[in-house]
């Protein structure tokens, strides 16, 4: 592992059930536990899967034509069982439209392959989920 491969965010509690994540570039996103407004951590997780795949597919298809419509829906079920809380039955669905013409035809033709390549090789988020990468947790003492 190198410093170039490291990705990180810091999450700060900003109020009851409200948090702000900050990345290394200083960008922030605020989220909540769901009792009020804002995205929940699970919704951010789903957005990360969809956003990662969307970016991969966008790069591949827009070489040929700019889409006239591009959306990605990500859904799954939150389960609670003897193993604890987790998501099941995750599904990523692309709805993409391209203009008529040669470029749009090429983009439509490669769309299924671009979606498959994102899922099978490129999307770091969904690839990490499917690989079952362990998560290490620790407490850093401050006293």
């Amino acid at each position: 592992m190198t410093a170039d491969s490291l990705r990180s965010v810091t999450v700060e509690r900003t109020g009851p059930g409200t948090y702000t994540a900050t990345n290394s570039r200083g960008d922030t996103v605020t989220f909540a536990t769901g009792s009020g407004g804002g995205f929940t951590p699970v919704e951010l997780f789903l957005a990360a899967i969809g956003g990662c795949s969307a970016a991969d597919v966008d790069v591949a298809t827009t070489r040929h034509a700019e889409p006239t419509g591009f959306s990605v829906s990500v859904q799954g079920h939150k389960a609670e069982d003897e193993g604890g809380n987790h998501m099941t039955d995750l599904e990523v669905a692309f709805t993409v439209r391209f203009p008529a013409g040669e470029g749009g035809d090429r983009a439509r033709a490669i769309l299924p392959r671009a979606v498959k390549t994102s899922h099978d090789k490129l999307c770091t988020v969904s690839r990490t989920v499917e690989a079952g990468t362990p998560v290490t947790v620790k407490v850093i003492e401050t006293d």
Side-chain angles (χ1 to χ4, degrees):
M1 301 294 165
T2 68
D4 290 338
S5 69
L6 182 64
R7 304 293 186 269
S8 67
V9 298
T10 301
V11 176
E12 297 283 336
R13 182 181 185 269
T14 56
T18 306
Y19 310 89
T20 298
T22 305
N23 66 18
S24 62
R25 295 173 304 285
D27 300 313
T28 62
V29 63
T30 299
F31 57 99
T33 57
S35 57
F39 277 78
T40 67
V42 170
E43 291 165 339
L44 289 174
F45 167 72
L46 296 174
I49 291 172
C52 184
S53 287
D56 293 338
V57 172
D58 194 33
V59 167
T61 58
T62 56
R63 291 180 182 141
H64 305 286
E66 188 66 23
T68 58
F70 191 117
S71 69
V72 182
S73 173
V74 185
Q75 65 181 19
H77 293 276
K78 185 174 178 184
E80 300 176 26
D81 58 26
E82 61 280 348
N85 296 346
H86 58 98
M87 294 295 293
T88 65
D89 304 318
L90 295 172
E91 179 182 271
V92 180
F94 281 80
T95 304
V96 185
R97 288 179 304 284
F98 296 102
E102 188 177 319
D105 291 344
R106 282 195 308 269
R108 272 187 291 284
I110 69 161
L111 179 62
R113 185 178 71 214
V115 169
K116 182 172 177 18
T117 301
S118 176
H119 176 263
D120 292 349
K121 296 186 187 287
L122 299 177
C123 176
T124 303
V125 179
S126 62
R127 298 299 314 137
T128 301
V129 171
E130 289 198 342
T133 302
V135 176
T136 302
V137 296
K138 62 184 176 183
V139 174
I140 299 173
E141 298 201 22
T142 58
D143 296 331

